[in-house]
Amino acid sequence: MPFQSLDERIKNFITGRLKWIDLMPIQKNAIPTVKEGKDLLIISPTASGKTEAIFIPLFDDILKNNLEPLSILYVLPLKALINDIYDRMERWCEPLNLTITKWHGDISPSKKEKFIKEPTDILLITPESLESFLINKNTDTKRRIFKNLRYVVIDEIHYFAASDRGIQLNSLLNRLKRYTEDEVQRIGLSATVGNPKTVLRWLTDDEDAKIVEDKSQISPQYKVIYGGDAAIIETLKRYSDKKILFFVHSRKDAERYHDMIRKHLNPKNVFIHHSSIDKKIKEESEENFKRAKNGIMICTSTLELGIDIGDTDIIVQNHPPLQVSSFVQRVGRSGRRRNPPRSIVFCDDEKDVFITLAEICLANEEKLEEIGIPEKPKDIYFHQILSSVFEYGKIKKKDLFYLLNKSFVFSNIDKEEYKLLIADMIKKDFLEEYGGYLSLGYDFEKEFGKRNFMEFYSVFPSSYDFVVREGLKDIGRMDAFFVINYLERGSDFALGGENWKILEINYDTFEIKVKRTRGGEAPHWYGTRGVMDYLVTRRIYDILLNDFDRDNLRYLDDASKMILGKFQEEALRVGFEKGVIPIEFDDNERRVFIYTFGGLRVNVLLSSIFKVYCGVYSIYDSPYFASFKFRGGFGIEDIRDITRNIEDILKDENLKVHIFEKANKLVKNKFIRYLPEDDQITLKSALLFDECGLIDVLQENSLKLATSTPFKAW
């Protein structure tokens, strides 16, 4: 759509107030598609102008065609993002005489009531607030408010799609159709999506829907430095005139580096941002950093998503993240003003050099982790059944099936599965059936009615991290994957530079009570950085075999290159090669290492299988290998017997019993516990194990004995 065809008020705002000379590439590509009325997914890096690529055509439509409120429903995952987008939109809305409302838990009842009486052109909201709205407002109110709706925008769609909240949102968008009079155009926004066609299907069933990507971005510039705190301080000194976003992995590290940088560099502008800091202080830091010409913002993943912090020159990362998508998301936060994105990654662990190089290679090839959307998410189905009955008061049983089945996320759940679940819910008194109609049962309010049903709306944990506590003091956090697979009462582990012994694990409240310990075997398990999976670890194996784009070596400093060369030589010496899974036997320890390089979820599943079928013990897994001790005669043929029959074994009931013992500890959300046991196992296992990755790596590679390797320390 040519710039000249825009409403005069928008053109004047863009050229006069914003002082834009031209539209950004993603805006030129996306705006005509939006104006065609097609559903679309827009993929473009942070700060590329994709948000404004939506503002311009939607605001133009409202102004030119005098659309009645409510015209735009804008869904975001976090209150902080709602506040940020609200501020950015308000700068457009005020001169264009458009109205906007933000709706979340911190907004006063009086402002919400004002919106109910007089809907605005735009509503910013979270899925939980939208759910509450659909349940608590009467039908006439909802029809009055949503009847004019023309657009639904889902920002940070990658954050939603594979999560419980995304399943909820997909269902809510389907339920919303009851109250709209016209066809609603759906638009998704994201900086990083590994499988955009799947995410587009999640967004819409429109076969003419389009994906618009920004291919004009300048290639990032990287620098990988092997070194610790001294190297970080020395490097930051050289960039004192730049604006730097400094990512660390924990709140404790954020506080430590904040103090260290203030002490050694004494910069004029140094800020800190993590989840434990008061909301107002974080917002003040964001605004001050945005206005500063130079300075350092030290943050955890709280600033990975698109909160506007202005132009940033360099992204510094103390250790790489464990997912390519996260790496790309972070790097994309720099490079505004048409400059290339720049990132410096510090590694003080040899493995981190390989992780960083693997992620650079994958990012340059535009290969990201695929977003996995559950095939049959019956826990959220359970929740949406109750929510829909709550909304309608009563509804015919057959009508409810067809209502929910129209949602992409529930389309694979057939009528028989629906009937079985409904029967189970009636038996447990969550539902009642009378004359073919379903209504809420006595135990629904008993279980979920506390705090005016707030427990029902906010059903999904923000993360699956366990809080580690010594008395009342928080020591840190550990990923649920590690806790469930490796830790139990009496286990030792390391966290925050200290050794701890577990006194108690509460799986319902995600808490671990510990005491300090000394001596004994060094703890193996740590979980502060999350889980690394198949895509990155398989690329690391390729790098060990020297099978990668060597042009990427230019990003590594000399120390990193020496580490790379050292381990490549070792891989060649011990027998690592293409198409092979190396097997190392340590006869002194009676321990075996199976080097799948398939990711932690693959290796945990593989070790579990050997435990069930071969009675192995002392399991010790990493993203690179599955390892365990064995009794009696055990050799490579025993491993081959298991691996060549892997698909049949994964269906075996004996294995399912063992997996359920592990999976049952995971409290995925508040509703999964009410499902039949088989459904619980299926849903929880998908979080804890990677069956597809295991099948793939075993079928694509053969087993081969290797000599003693240094990789067992990985």
Side-chain angles (χ1 to χ4, degrees):
M1 181 183 69
F3 178 79
Q4 292 305 320
S5 68
L6 291 172
D7 185 273
E8 286 297 325
R9 287 163 286 185
I10 291 181
K11 287 193 294 186
N12 291 337
F13 177 76
I14 289 173
T15 57
R17 183 77 67 90
L18 298 180
K19 308 295 183 186
W20 288 6
I21 299 172
D22 195 7
L23 297 178
M24 300 288 281
I26 189 62
Q27 294 160 1
K28 292 178 181 178
N29 291 336
I31 290 172
T33 309
V34 175
K35 297 300 285 185
E36 288 174 13
K38 297 182 185 299
D39 293 348
L40 75 157
L41 172 62
I42 300 175
I43 303 172
S44 186
T46 303
S48 62
K50 65 177 174 293
T51 308
E52 288 74 16
I54 296 304
F55 289 178
I56 292 169
L58 270 54
F59 295 169
D60 185 67
D61 190 23
I62 293 173
L63 293 174
K64 278 185 177 176
N65 296 302
N66 296 313
L67 300 184
E68 293 291 324
L70 167 74
S71 298
I72 304 170
L73 182 69
Y74 201 112
V75 185
L76 295 116
L78 304 172
K79 290 187 287 186
L81 283 172
I82 286 180
N83 294 338
D84 179 66
I85 290 292
Y86 178 85
D87 291 341
R88 292 167 66 182
M89 270 197 184
E90 203 172 33
R91 289 196 289 271
W92 289 70
C93 289
E94 188 175 344
L96 297 176
N97 201 28
L98 300 176
T99 54
I100 181 172
T101 297
K102 55 181 176 179
W103 187 300
H104 56 64
D106 295 340
I107 303 302
S108 68
S110 61
K111 289 183 178 179
K112 292 178 179 178
E113 191 58 36
K114 182 180 178 182
F115 171 82
I116 297 298
K117 291 178 180 177
E118 296 181 43
T120 52
D121 296 303
I122 306 148
L123 176 64
L124 308 178
I125 199 165
T126 62
E128 291 80 6
S129 292
L130 181 58
E131 178 104 59
S132 175
F133 198 104
L134 291 181
I135 288 175
N136 288 309
K137 305 305 175 188
N138 63 51
T139 300
D140 289 342
T141 298
K142 286 178 284 195
R143 284 188 173 140
R144 177 175 57 81
I145 288 171
F146 292 116
K147 67 178 181 179
N148 298 318
L149 188 65
R150 294 293 183 90
Y151 302 99
V152 170
V153 179
I154 303 172
D155 210 339
E156 306 289 357
I157 194 171
H158 65 280
Y159 185 95
F160 283 121
S163 70
D164 288 351
R165 296 178 74 207
I167 297 165
Q168 174 197 29
L169 175 58
N170 186 266
S171 177
L172 292 174
L173 296 181
N174 176 55
R175 288 163 55 188
L176 193 62
K177 292 177 182 178
R178 181 188 182 197
Y179 309 108
T180 59
E181 293 184 355
D182 297 309
E183 196 69 29
V184 175
Q185 186 176 354
R186 297 185 184 184
I187 302 167
L189 304 177
S190 179
T192 54
V193 175
N195 48 336
K197 289 183 180 178
T198 301
V199 175
L200 186 65
R201 288 180 61 218
W202 178 96
L203 176 67
T204 176
D205 58 5
D206 181 3
E207 293 184 358
D208 294 325
K210 290 188 175 181
I211 298 169
V212 178
E213 294 189 64
D214 184 2
K215 299 292 187 180
S216 67
Q217 291 296 303
I218 305 170
S219 297
Q221 297 177 358
Y222 304 105
K223 185 177 289 187
V224 182
I225 298 174
Y226 186 73
D229 292 346
I232 291 173
I233 294 299
E234 190 60 35
T235 302
L236 291 178
K237 280 181 183 177
R238 298 200 293 269
Y239 297 104
S240 59
D241 61 333
K242 304 295 184 184
K243 286 184 71 174
I244 296 171
L245 194 57
F246 185 171
F247 281 99
V248 297
H249 284 290
S250 69
R251 293 170 294 179
K252 185 174 181 179
D253 279 349
E255 296 289 350
R256 186 170 75 85
Y257 280 105
H258 181 255
D259 292 344
M260 184 187 302
I261 288 168
R262 291 177 65 183
K263 178 180 178 181
H264 292 283
L265 299 181
N266 193 28
K268 181 179 179 182
N269 300 307
V270 59
F271 310 98
I272 185 169
H273 198 287
H274 59 68
S275 59
S276 294
I277 294 174
D278 180 77
K279 176 174 69 76
K280 290 183 179 179
I281 295 174
K282 281 191 289 191
E283 289 174 354
E284 185 178 318
S285 293
E286 292 161 15
E287 189 60 32
N288 289 337
F289 183 72
K290 185 176 178 179
R291 291 177 178 175
K293 292 183 178 180
N294 53 60
I296 302 172
M297 171 74 87
I298 302 147
C299 63
T300 59
S301 58
T302 52
L303 284 180
E304 268 188 23
L305 296 180
I307 293 173
D308 185 10
I309 51 172
D311 296 339
T312 303
D313 298 306
I314 302 171
I315 302 300
V316 171
Q317 303 184 66
N318 183 33
H319 307 294
L322 300 184
Q323 293 80 35
V324 192
S325 54
S326 183
F327 182 80
V328 170
Q329 185 92 9
R330 291 178 178 187
V331 173
R333 301 236 58 185
S334 68
R336 302 188 182 207
R337 300 185 295 240
R338 301 187 186 277
N339 292 322
R342 299 172 66 188
S343 181
I344 302 172
V345 186
F346 289 97
C347 307
D348 61 4
D349 182 293
E350 293 174 327
K351 297 188 296 295
D352 281 348
V353 173
F354 283 87
I355 295 170
T356 305
L357 182 55
E359 291 177 348
I360 289 172
C361 290
L362 290 164
N364 287 345
E365 296 167 23
E366 299 183 354
K367 291 182 179 178
L368 307 178
E369 292 87 2
E370 292 192 351
I371 293 173
I373 299 173
E375 185 180 4
K376 296 182 179 183
K378 291 186 181 178
D379 48 347
I380 314 304
Y381 194 55
F382 178 101
H383 174 259
Q384 288 297 293
I385 287 171
L386 292 174
S387 180
S388 299
V389 175
F390 199 163
E391 176 185 350
Y392 280 73
K394 66 176 183 177
I395 185 172
K396 284 186 177 180
K397 184 163 72 173
K398 64 177 183 179
D399 290 345
L400 179 58
F401 171 75
Y402 290 114
L403 169 69
L404 295 177
N405 189 252
K406 291 176 183 176
S407 301
F408 171 73
V409 291
F410 299 141
S411 58
N412 290 319
I413 299 175
D414 63 37
K415 191 176 288 187
E416 287 306 309
E417 291 173 301
Y418 167 76
K419 288 179 179 178
L420 286 172
L421 184 55
I422 291 294
D424 191 63
M425 294 172 75
I426 291 170
K427 181 180 177 182
K428 293 173 179 173
D429 209 16
F430 290 119
L431 293 174
E432 293 179 353
E433 183 180 11
Y434 183 76
Y437 282 86
L438 294 173
S439 58
L440 295 174
Y442 172 77
D443 275 2
F444 170 76
E445 185 166 353
K446 181 181 174 183
E447 287 287 321
F448 308 117
K450 296 174 184 176
R451 296 171 57 217
N452 198 26
F453 294 97
M454 282 303 297
E455 293 288 311
F456 183 70
Y457 308 135
S458 304
V459 297
F460 313 118
S462 57
S463 74
Y464 294 114
D465 289 347
F466 277 72
V467 178
V468 181
R469 290 196 171 104
E470 181 191 26
L472 298 176
K473 181 182 178 183
D474 284 7
I475 304 302
R477 290 175 175 266
M478 297 190 75
D479 189 279
F481 180 90
F482 291 90
V483 177
I484 288 164
N485 280 295
Y486 299 126
L487 300 181
E488 58 188 20
R489 187 174 181 177
S491 296
D492 293 340
F493 67 95
L495 184 65
E498 300 279 353
N499 288 352
W500 306 95
K501 183 177 288 292
I502 293 179
L503 302 176
E504 181 184 345
I505 302 176
N506 189 320
Y507 296 99
D508 290 320
T509 60
F510 288 81
E511 290 180 294
I512 304 174
K513 294 183 179 179
V514 299
K515 68 176 183 180
R516 295 174 191 268
T517 185
R518 293 182 180 178
E521 185 179 356
H524 291 310
W525 316 118
Y526 63 94
T528 57
R529 289 175 61 187
V531 175
M532 185 161 58
D533 277 330
Y534 191 90
L535 183 67
V536 175
T537 50
R538 289 307 299 171
R539 183 52 59 96
I540 289 172
Y541 190 69
D542 291 339
I543 291 170
L544 283 169
L545 302 182
N546 223 344
D547 181 15
F548 70 103
D549 183 356
R550 295 184 61 80
D551 185 52
N552 291 319
L553 289 175
R554 61 196 166 105
Y555 301 123
L556 274 59
D557 70 354
D558 290 341
S560 299
K561 289 177 184 175
M562 286 181 64
I563 290 166
L564 185 72
K566 178 181 74 172
F567 281 103
Q568 286 175 332
E569 288 177 9
E570 285 295 315
L572 180 65
R573 179 186 66 80
V574 302
F576 282 23
E577 58 184 275
K578 198 77 172 175
V580 160
I581 297 175
I583 310 292
E584 177 185 355
F585 281 90
D586 184 334
D587 292 330
N588 292 330
E589 291 284 328
R590 298 187 65 78
R591 177 177 286 280
V592 64
F593 295 84
I594 305 173
Y595 292 103
T596 67
F597 280 79
L600 197 52
R601 295 178 210 272
V602 163
N603 291 327
V604 167
L605 180 56
L606 186 58
S607 290
S608 296
I609 290 169
F610 278 99
K611 182 174 183 178
V612 171
Y613 287 88
C614 302
V616 303
Y617 65 104
S618 187
I619 291 172
Y620 170 28
D621 302 317
S622 85
Y624 315 104
F625 57 73
S627 177
F628 41 79
K629 290 185 176 182
F630 52 87
R631 299 179 176 89
F634 184 87
I636 193 168
E637 288 306 318
D638 297 284
I639 298 174
R640 285 198 176 103
D641 287 342
I642 294 291
T643 57
R644 67 167 61 103
N645 297 304
I646 193 65
E647 289 190 80
D648 291 334
I649 286 171
L650 288 170
K651 299 172 186 175
D652 186 71
E653 288 300 321
N654 291 325
L655 180 62
K656 286 184 178 179
V657 170
H658 174 76
I659 285 176
F660 180 70
E661 289 176 1
K662 282 191 175 183
N664 197 40
K665 298 175 184 177
L666 175 62
V667 183
K668 182 173 178 281
N669 55 54
K670 297 173 187 175
F671 293 95
I672 196 166
R673 71 185 69 181
Y674 303 112
L675 294 180
E677 190 172 282
D678 283 350
D679 291 330
Q680 290 190 44
I681 293 173
T682 300
L683 290 168
K684 292 180 179 182
S685 296
L687 284 177
L688 295 173
F689 310 113
D690 181 3
E691 286 192 12
C692 292
L694 179 60
I695 292 169
D696 185 64
V697 76
L698 293 181
Q699 291 184 346
E700 294 294 322
N701 299 277
S702 59
L703 307 183
K704 181 181 177 181
L705 285 173
T707 58
S708 179
T709 82
F711 299 103
K712 53 179 168 281
W714 280 28

